[in-house]
Structure formats: C-alpha cells, structure tokens
Amino acid sequence: MKRLSVFIAACAFAVACKPDPQPTPQPEAKVEFKIVSQNPMEFAAEGGDCVIRYEITNPDESLNVSASTDVDWITETDATYAGQNEIVLVVAKNEGDARTAKVVLTYDKQYEVVVNQEAAPVEPEPEPEPEPGVVT
C-alpha cells in the first residue's frame, strides 16, 4: 500500500510540474500595397493633375510612400503627399509627339504606374495666298 501511495504521489507531482504550454506565435500580418487608380493613366495633350490612389493593408508605420519619375514633364507639387492614400503629380502640356513615362511608387517595394499623354494637336498649315494677277 505504501508503494502505491508513493507511486500515486509521484504521478501527481509529475503532472502538476509540467510547464504551461507556450502560446503559438502569431505570424506578423503581411503588408499589402495596391494601386487602385487606373493603370495606365491616360492624359490629353493639355495635361493636368495626375492623382495616383493606393490602398495599404496592415501598414508598416516605419515606411512612407514616395513617388519618382525620370521625366521632366511630370512634376511634384506642394500638395504631392498631402492627401491620404493618394499622390498628386502634374502632367505638363504636351506640345509635341505622344509620350509615355513611368511613375514609381515606393513603399515596401517598388510599384509602377504608366502615364500616357496624347500628342499635341496638329494645326493645318494655312493655304498660301495666290499671287496677285494669277488666276487659280
């Protein structure tokens, strides 16, 4: 009987001394960046504001959205980063052929938006004045 009591006490002690199970670590939520504006973006020759809208799911507070391009006809303004979830750029008036550029948004990685702009309208050349005394 004494052995049985010692055995039961040892089993109870072993069960009571098990460490609490460790909680399973939850994976960090994945940052998701999505451009919701039309891509490519189309502009008339007159140009205008280029508003690029985006959504961020599970944002990383240590990151900021920035925009860049390697052309001089798309520029930033004082309000470029003023809006929430949008970037505003200016597409200059086109006085030449149709053109295309890429705007690169950078957050957790780089995302491209294509900007197309129509050619300037071609004005017809005026017809030459007839020479005096010549009948046409």
Side-chain angles (χ1 to χ4, degrees):
M1 180 80 164
K2 197 173 193 181
R3 284 186 193 173
L4 183 59
S5 297
V6 171
F7 177 72
I8 292 173
C11 288
F13 181 74
V15 170
C17 293
K18 284 187 179 178
D20 291 334
Q22 296 296 320
T24 305
Q26 297 296 320
E28 285 189 35
K30 183 179 176 187
V31 173
E32 293 182 36
F33 184 95
K34 179 181 177 186
I35 295 171
V36 293
S37 293
Q38 182 178 347
N39 191 5
M41 300 182 85
E42 305 291 334
F43 286 88
E46 293 78 30
D49 286 347
C50 175
V51 180
I52 303 172
R53 292 185 174 84
Y54 57 87
E55 293 176 349
I56 303 173
T57 305
N58 304 315
D60 182 337
E61 299 302 322
S62 68
L63 300 174
N64 291 312
V65 178
S66 64
S68 62
T69 186
D70 60 356
V71 298
D72 61 358
W73 53 273
I74 300 176
T75 58
E76 295 184 0
T77 67
D78 290 340
T80 295
Y81 303 102
Q84 185 174 2
N85 291 350
E86 66 182 31
I87 291 178
V88 181
L89 303 171
V90 176
V91 175
K93 181 178 180 178
N94 188 0
E95 296 180 358
D97 295 332
R99 54 193 180 182
T100 298
K102 291 180 183 175
V103 176
V104 177
L105 274 57
T106 303
Y107 186 66
D108 59 323
K109 56 185 178 180
Q110 293 186 331
Y111 305 86
E112 289 185 352
V113 176
V114 175
V115 177
N116 296 318
Q117 188 176 27
E118 295 175 350
V122 178
E123 295 187 26
E125 295 200 23
E127 295 207 19
E129 294 286 325
E131 291 184 33
V134 176
V135 178
T136 57

